[in-house]
Amino acid sequence: MAWHQAMQDCAPLVTRFAPSPNGRLHLGHALSAIVAHDLARASGGRFLLRIEDIDGPRSRSELADEFRRDLEWLWLEWDEVSAQSTRLASYAAAAEALRARGLIYPCACTRKEIEAAGAKMGSDGLIYPGTCKRTPPDPARPAAWRLDADEALATTGPLLWDDDLAGPTAAHLSDLGDVVLVRKDLPASYHLAVTLDDAADGVTLVTRGSDLFAASHVHRTLQALLGLPVPRWHHHALLIDVSGQKLAKRRGSPALAERRLAGEDGRMLADQLRLQHLQLGT
Ligand code: GLU
């Protein structure tokens, strides 16, 4: 389904923008926020802001305030704001349910050990080679908990998910493998937290950049395992810089806050991004 068709969807949509306060927002974030905002508003629905602040040591609370000012500057109004750090108990409960059903297993491997085990590269980093699934780790070592992809598939059977741009897509885990659902240092990983939050917030259209497309295979699987409602997805094309690379803060894309504080017109910038996005065709 094309962008303009999605906008004509008659049911009011609930969308969200879910930034992590471990770095400043840049243009790519602004586009994601605009896409989520505009799709919700065009349908008469709701646009939510969720601060993904569970990454304790890397999360900086002052950035959450900065994000709000950035969105206001872009003339994007949200209906509700929530923070992941208030939801840790729900992540722990879901992890416990998966553990009780044998769908996750402990893994004490370090990144070095995973590399040394000859792990293959998937679309989002190394595919875990299953070391701790074959031989459970020493309980004295700190462990993360990984989804047992084979067990998950056997439980759910074939699943489909629907992306506005890619259309109906068969869920598969072969590209991501046994992803971490509970981190060594946190009660959830991105995958578990975002899936539970989108369900808890009643999000009906998950919008985000196409760099996160592969993650939706995992999220669709978790929805089936945990009996959660299934939204639709909209993975939008990414903005690229003059050298043809994805815009990212590490490549020096200017932070929105810097542009805001320099007196640039945020509303005009948002409109330019809308135009650029239309030209990308998504
Ligand atoms: N916190 C994630 C990020 O900033 C959110 C991704 C998503 O929208 O699911 O990339």
Side-chain angles (χ1 to χ4, degrees):
M1 194 193 293
W3 152 268
H4 59 277
Q5 281 171 287
M7 288 182 104
Q8 284 161 7
D9 195 307
C10 40
L13 297 169
V14 181
T15 67
R16 82 321 190 257
F17 174 55
S20 306
N22 51 26
R24 301 181 110 180
L25 299 185
H26 59 83
L27 283 179
H29 292 112
L31 178 64
S32 290
I34 289 167
V35 169
H37 170 272
D38 289 3
L39 285 169
R41 292 289 175 250
S43 72
R46 292 187 311 130
F47 169 60
L48 314 178
L49 172 61
R50 186 166 66 228
I51 307 295
E52 303 217 319
D53 60 347
I54 48 170
D55 200 346
R58 294 177 66 218
S59 278
R60 290 157 47 199
S61 58
E62 73 278 10
L63 282 179
D65 294 334
E66 181 175 295
F67 293 174
R68 282 189 275 264
R69 284 193 291 274
D70 289 341
L71 293 183
E72 281 165 358
W73 174 67
L74 294 166
W75 285 58
L76 304 177
E77 224 177 284
W78 57 92
D79 296 288
E80 270 170 51
V81 60
S82 61
Q84 281 192 330
S85 52
T86 62
R87 295 174 161 178
L88 301 184
S90 74
Y91 308 149
E96 192 43 53
L98 294 172
R99 202 175 285 133
R101 290 161 64 198
L103 291 162
I104 56 177
Y105 63 88
C107 168
C109 289
T110 60
R111 195 183 158 81
K112 273 199 181 130
E113 287 169 333
I114 295 172
E115 278 163 5
K120 290 198 194 74
M121 191 51 92
S123 59
D124 188 35
L126 295 174
I127 300 177
Y128 184 63
T131 320
C132 289
K133 186 175 160 185
R134 288 187 298 274
T135 314
D138 176 351
R141 287 184 72 187
W145 287 76
R146 290 183 176 274
L147 179 66
D148 184 330
D150 293 334
E151 205 53 46
L153 195 68
T155 308
T156 64
L159 296 170
L160 279 179
W161 56 277
D162 202 10
D163 181 83
D164 280 350
L165 306 150
T169 302
H172 70 87
L173 298 172
S174 48
D175 216 19
L176 291 147
D178 291 359
V179 291
V180 169
L181 294 187
V182 180
R183 284 175 35 168
K184 283 181 187 166
D185 55 339
L186 292 174
S189 68
Y190 159 67
H191 294 301
L192 183 61
V194 84
T195 305
L196 291 167
D197 287 344
D198 284 339
D201 291 336
V203 171
T204 57
L205 181 68
V206 174
T207 61
R208 58 185 165 220
S210 58
D211 52 337
L212 284 166
F213 189 89
S216 299
H217 291 295
V218 177
H219 304 173
R220 176 68 187 92
T221 305
L222 289 176
Q223 284 152 5
L225 294 175
L226 294 166
L228 302 173
V230 181
R232 215 169 73 217
W233 280 263
H234 183 110
H235 291 94
H236 62 79
L238 303 177
L239 293 174
I240 46 172
D241 65 17
V242 279
S243 64
Q245 286 190 306
K246 178 184 133 185
L247 278 185
K249 34 190 180 212
R250 60 187 168 278
R251 277 193 284 273
S253 160
L256 298 182
E258 280 169 41
R259 304 174 75 135
R260 172 166 58 78
L261 294 168
E264 197 174 324
D265 185 331
R267 193 180 197 183
M268 206 182 278
L269 176 66
D271 282 344
Q272 280 162 4
L273 288 172
R274 288 186 173 98
L275 201 63
Q276 225 174 317
H277 186 236
L278 276 177
Q279 284 160 354
L280 287 170
T282 60

